[in-house]
Amino acid sequence: KRELTARESEVLKLLAEGRTVRSVAAILGLSSKTVDAHKFNLMRKLGIHNKAELVMWAIQKKVVKLPVNF
């Protein structure tokens, strides 16, 4: 399994926090198309097929924390 780039990790974190591709693009100053490309690449690298799996992976790897009131 290949390592994620710094940008892919940023995109992963923001998406796993529940943000949309569009809002991630605005936060990082990128186009939605670029964020989509990063999302596609990181999901391919991790063997993930949907956003739910992406969130679960991010929680398991402690990329994001579950909210206290969850």
Side-chain angles (χ1 to χ4, degrees):
K1 202 177 300 192
R2 292 187 297 174
E3 288 295 307
L4 297 182
T5 65
R7 184 60 96 188
E8 287 167 349
S9 296
E10 271 181 311
V11 169
L12 168 70
K13 184 179 189 311
L14 292 168
L15 289 173
E17 287 171 354
R19 298 181 194 276
T20 63
V21 165
R22 210 178 200 161
S23 73
V24 171
I27 290 165
L28 299 178
L30 303 169
S31 73
S32 293
K33 213 171 189 174
T34 301
V35 172
D36 257 333
H38 287 307
K39 179 181 162 193
F40 175 82
N41 289 333
L42 71 89
M43 288 174 77
R44 193 193 66 227
K45 285 182 185 180
L46 300 174
I48 289 172
H49 304 101
N50 58 50
K51 186 137 181 202
E53 287 180 23
L54 188 73
V55 172
M56 288 298 295
W57 189 91
I59 291 167
Q60 288 169 344
K61 300 295 181 193
K62 304 205 182 331
V63 174
V64 292
K65 291 191 184 92
L66 280 175
V68 178
N69 58 358
F70 190 72

